[in-house]
Amino acid sequence: MKVLVTGGAGYLGSHTVLELLAAGHEAVVLDDFSNASPRAMSALGMLANREIAWTEGDIRDAGCLDDVLGGGGFDAVMHFAGLKAVGESVEEPLRYYGTNVAGTACLLERMEAHGVRTLVFSSSATVYRVADTEDPAPLGENAPTGAESPYGRTKLIVEELLRDLCAAKPDWRVSVLRYFNAVGAHPSGVIGEDPTGVPRNLLPCIAQVAVGRRELLEVFGNDYPTRDGTCVRDYLHVVDLARAHIRAVEYLERRPGFAVHNLGTGRGHTVFEAIRAFERASGKTIPYRIVGRRPGDAPVTLADPERAREELGWTAEWDLDRMCADLWRWQSTHPEGFE
Ligand code: NAD
Ligand code: UD1
């Protein structure tokens, strides 16, 4: 297949480009580099041992999409491009709705115009309603949704848009993938997550402490009803996540219509467990301080990944130690990211 990867220079998109190529598919990247470095593209080319076609452009620019899609021959689009910082989405809702919702609508219109009607969409576990119970069940795809932030609502709105599109046009094939906590880096250490500004997510924060970019980690609350008082999350290796996209697009070849799948391991780890795993992987001590809870945090978030196993034939293979080892390889060799 020939696949257009929007946001393909970013964290998840770049890892997926490599897996697409490894599976024998062709990948073309469209990215505006608002949250990625062009160096990611040279690193990708080096890893893949070939030049990777890419265009600098915005998904909200219909003319640019026409140029790329009009080049022809695309079988599918994997749509990673978007904005993803929860706090920022509260401050700048217009930018978030503009890029994530209007940008996706623009992309879908141009896909329809060019007869490309297969899409894999990056959604998030953030679309599930936060459960405050002590021992919540793993989240299946039918669990109640209800996002807590403008970011989460943009994901829910796009999911609804895609569902409506498939109901109206039976020749569309759409796979919505709800990612749990994607972490880690490519095992080569050549590409990885390169957050701009202060990272907000746990593993990037820990990695920056380990490499000396930050003094200590703030642990957001140790009074949750969990085994050690810190929140439990379902961490997923980025390469496992990338490989699921290949399974998803191949699934769409067999089955038209709209599908939703969780991507997670089904296993949870606390913040303290993540710190210890990273200490083992890096040989560094991670100093931390307990601070207050972060508003909106659920005590436990766990995926039920059964549907992805059954329908996509996909299961996450790599555990938290592997995620930390690969993240450390990337972070220790690129202390300032791609720069
Ligand atoms: P990222 O910021 O690294 O990648 C997104 C890419 O899209 C960047 O390269 C950025 O430059 C590009 N981009 C942004 N706006 C664009 C626009 N208007 N036109 C073209 N390109 C644009 O983020 P990521 O972590 O790789 O996430 C990819 C997708 O997955 C996002 O949609 C995000 O919401 C979703 N997601 C990520 C996570 C996670 O843990 N990282 C979890 C759930 C969902
Ligand atoms: C966060 C977002 C979620 C988004 C996901 C992946 C919030 C409320 N939720 O989820 O919408 O889909 O990232 O991008 O922002 N932690 C610390 N110290 C830190 C950072 C995190 O203790 O410096 C804790 C958090 O309280 C949480 C756990 O580590 O318990 C994981 O945090 P994080 O990596 O931000 O992921 P989520 O909370 O799952």
Side-chain angles (χ1 to χ4, degrees):
M1 275 183 257
K2 181 174 175 185
V3 181
L4 177 64
V5 185
T6 75
Y11 174 42
L12 305 180
S14 58
H15 288 79
T16 304
V17 165
L18 275 187
E19 295 305 319
L20 273 167
L21 299 175
H25 301 298
E26 192 183 337
V28 175
V29 169
L30 172 70
D31 202 298
D32 70 354
F33 296 98
S34 55
N35 198 38
S37 162
R39 291 187 193 187
M41 293 312 304
S42 12
L44 266 183
M46 194 189 92
L47 275 178
N49 210 11
R50 72 181 94 158
E51 199 136 313
I52 294 161
W54 58 276
T55 298
E56 180 168 355
D58 193 315
I59 52 163
R60 292 166 299 177
D61 179 346
C64 167
L65 292 172
D66 283 340
D67 286 346
V68 175
L69 290 166
F74 285 102
D75 299 293
V77 175
M78 291 188 181
H79 178 33
F80 294 91
L83 305 176
K84 61 166 183 176
V86 175
E88 196 179 66
S89 77
V90 177
E91 312 284 321
E92 299 180 65
L94 279 178
R95 195 154 77 86
Y96 273 68
Y97 281 86
T99 297
N100 292 4
V101 178
T104 302
C106 180
L107 173 67
L108 295 171
E109 261 176 21
R110 301 333 298 157
M111 286 175 65
E112 172 71 19
H114 291 277
V116 183
R117 299 192 180 90
T118 299
L119 179 88
V120 181
F121 174 63
S122 299
S123 191
S124 166
T126 197
V127 301
Y128 292 115
R129 197 176 301 157
V130 168
D132 218 1
T133 49
E134 206 152 305
D135 193 16
L139 293 159
E141 288 80 355
N142 293 326
T145 54
E148 300 274 314
S149 67
Y151 165 69
R153 281 187 282 280
T154 65
K155 291 293 177 192
L156 268 180
I157 291 168
V158 170
E159 286 197 10
E160 291 307 315
L161 166 54
L162 292 169
R163 197 189 301 271
D164 288 340
L165 179 62
C166 289
K169 310 245 177 198
D171 48 353
W172 272 80
R173 296 162 189 259
V174 172
S175 159
V176 167
L177 299 178
R178 291 178 178 158
Y179 313 148
F180 282 66
N181 295 63
V183 301
H186 191 264
S188 63
V190 172
I191 57 168
E193 189 171 11
D194 184 13
T196 35
V198 178
R200 303 284 168 204
N201 296 117
L202 180 65
L203 266 300
C205 284
I206 295 178
Q208 289 200 359
V209 172
V211 85
R213 273 176 74 175
R214 294 157 64 83
E215 246 173 61
L216 53 70
L217 174 78
E218 292 191 331
V219 174
F220 299 144
N222 65 346
D223 57 351
Y224 285 96
T226 61
R227 49 187 175 267
D228 64 19
T230 63
C231 294
V232 171
R233 292 291 181 273
D234 189 328
Y235 297 100
L236 172 68
H237 197 296
V238 60
V239 171
D240 275 324
L241 174 141
R243 288 179 181 157
H245 289 69
I246 318 306
R247 299 300 178 92
V249 79
E250 289 170 356
Y251 172 80
L252 292 178
E253 275 194 309
R254 304 191 294 273
R255 188 190 164 285
F258 179 83
V260 181
H261 293 97
N262 284 336
L263 298 186
T265 64
R267 288 181 299 278
H269 294 283
T270 68
V271 174
F272 287 148
E273 287 164 2
I275 293 174
R276 282 195 294 274
F278 204 86
E279 288 182 334
R280 281 196 298 278
S282 63
K284 304 272 181 188
T285 301
I286 308 296
Y288 66 84
R289 178 175 66 212
I290 311 286
V291 298
R293 291 182 176 195
R294 182 172 67 179
D297 268 344
V300 178
T301 307
L302 270 185
D304 175 352
E306 193 47 30
R307 188 190 283 180
R309 191 186 65 76
E310 255 176 42
E311 295 184 351
L312 306 182
W314 172 87
T315 328
E317 286 176 14
W318 288 345
D319 64 10
L320 184 62
D321 286 330
R322 180 69 195 257
M323 299 174 210
C324 292
D326 289 338
L327 172 54
W328 179 238
R329 195 170 299 110
W330 154 252
Q331 186 72 80
S332 55
T333 53
H334 300 77
E336 302 294 331
F338 286 111
E339 297 179 82

